[in-house]
Amino acid sequence: MDVAIRSGRGIGLLAVLLTLLIAGCGGEKPVKVGIESNFRPFTYTENGESKGFEVELWRAIAQKANLPYELVPMTQGELNKAVKSGQVDMAIAGMTVNKARKDNFAFSDPYFQTGLVLLTASDNEEIKSKDDLKGKIIGTKSGSTSYIYAGGIQGTQEVRGYPDISDAYTDLKNKKLDAVIFDERNVHHFLQNDGEGKVKMVGEVLNKESYAVVTKKKNKHLGRINSAIEALGKDGTYEALYVKWFGSKPKKLPGQ
């Protein structure tokens, strides 16, 4: 009899705890958030752990918005399809806001300002800007806005798309490419960590871009996400994360 009572009390306590846990999450089902598995220092997977500026920024956004979530690492090429098909509810992975994507997706308010830059071999004295790319082989990431931009440069010999931008960097170091066009911050990270003095950035920023959280049209969470992004810009959290991952203060805070 005593054992039965104790067992009953244990089950009752467990039920109460589960109820409190669900209530603490607002009773919502966790949203699936796509991140890129290798886009340093924004989002990447290392030893099975998701890391990067966008990973920590999303964690802060979700906390502010009281939004339970699950991160789903994948390649850049899979992200758009995953959001469109509903495999994930949204993505935070260096997703550039542009008109073509706005026709198919919804975006949060921008949380990051960046641009495309040009990278070439350290001993290359011929390429100093995009005007010097006639007859050259350019590498970049498949499916990215940098691929579209590179494809619009007149007179190039070839634009090679790579599923992983690190492969393009490797080919540039080995002189299988004349140049690489890609995100400014990712290029800086490569130069500081893996460039080995074999490559250099040349010319001015080619095309300014803004990153935002991307979702399907009419996503019910966007309002809360936008409010959280604005709050993080005001309370110093955004600036602290930016300094941690990029080594300097942002020129512009979200909402400015």
Side-chain angles (χ1 to χ4, degrees):
M1 182 67 174
D2 186 56
V3 172
I5 291 173
R6 289 180 181 178
S7 177
R9 287 176 177 172
I11 294 171
L13 180 59
L14 179 60
V16 170
L17 289 173
L18 287 173
T19 301
L20 289 173
L21 178 61
I22 293 171
C25 292
E28 289 185 287
K29 180 181 177 182
V31 294
K32 291 185 177 181
V33 182
I35 61 170
E36 191 173 342
S37 52
N38 188 24
F39 182 37
R40 298 170 185 260
F42 291 92
T43 63
Y44 60 97
T45 303
E46 188 174 76
N47 299 322
E49 183 181 355
S50 296
K51 297 181 178 181
F53 169 77
E54 287 176 319
V55 171
E56 294 193 15
L57 177 63
W58 174 257
R59 188 178 298 141
I61 290 171
Q63 185 176 5
K64 285 278 188 187
N66 192 28
L67 193 62
Y69 67 93
E70 171 191 350
L71 295 178
V72 184
M74 58 184 67
T75 66
Q76 172 75 38
E78 296 171 321
L79 282 166
N80 284 340
K81 294 178 183 177
V83 175
K84 196 170 185 177
S85 69
Q87 180 185 346
V88 296
D89 299 290
M90 59 192 69
I92 180 168
M95 301 295 283
T96 303
V97 181
N98 61 29
K99 186 181 183 304
R101 285 177 175 162
K102 280 185 174 181
D103 289 339
N104 299 298
F105 302 102
F107 287 91
S108 71
D109 294 335
Y111 61 78
F112 198 86
Q113 307 297 322
T114 186
L116 303 180
V117 293
L118 181 61
L119 198 63
T120 191
S122 294
D123 59 358
N124 189 317
E125 298 301 326
E126 185 180 356
I127 298 176
K128 294 182 171 62
S129 73
K130 74 170 185 176
D131 297 331
D132 304 317
L133 295 176
K134 186 176 180 179
K136 306 302 182 185
I137 302 173
I138 305 169
T140 188
K141 182 182 281 190
S142 301
S144 66
T145 53
S146 55
Y147 185 87
I148 297 170
Y149 182 89
I153 299 174
Q154 298 297 314
T156 60
Q157 178 181 333
E158 182 186 355
V159 176
R160 292 181 187 171
Y162 293 77
D164 192 322
I165 191 61
S166 61
D167 294 331
Y169 292 149
T170 298
D171 277 1
L172 180 63
K173 286 196 296 184
N174 294 331
K175 299 195 174 180
K176 294 179 181 179
L177 295 171
D178 296 303
V180 166
I181 292 176
F182 200 55
D183 171 82
E184 180 182 15
R185 285 297 174 179
N186 184 262
V187 166
H188 276 298
H189 185 273
F190 167 69
L191 288 172
Q192 293 170 2
N193 293 276
D194 303 301
E196 301 172 352
K198 294 183 178 181
V199 295
K200 63 183 178 182
M201 191 167 66
V202 295
E204 302 294 327
V205 174
L206 301 174
N207 189 38
K208 293 183 179 180
E209 298 185 337
S210 298
Y211 292 165
V213 179
V214 61
T215 74
K216 291 179 75 171
K217 294 281 189 176
K218 299 180 181 179
N219 186 286
K220 66 179 182 180
H221 302 300
L222 270 182
R224 289 156 64 184
I225 291 171
N226 286 336
S227 295
I229 291 172
E230 182 180 3
L232 294 172
K234 291 179 178 179
D235 69 10
T237 301
Y238 180 90
E239 184 174 297
L241 290 176
Y242 193 101
V243 170
K244 173 183 176 179
W245 286 99
F246 302 111
S248 62
K249 291 186 178 182
K251 294 179 181 178
K252 188 176 180 181
L253 293 171
Q256 289 184 343

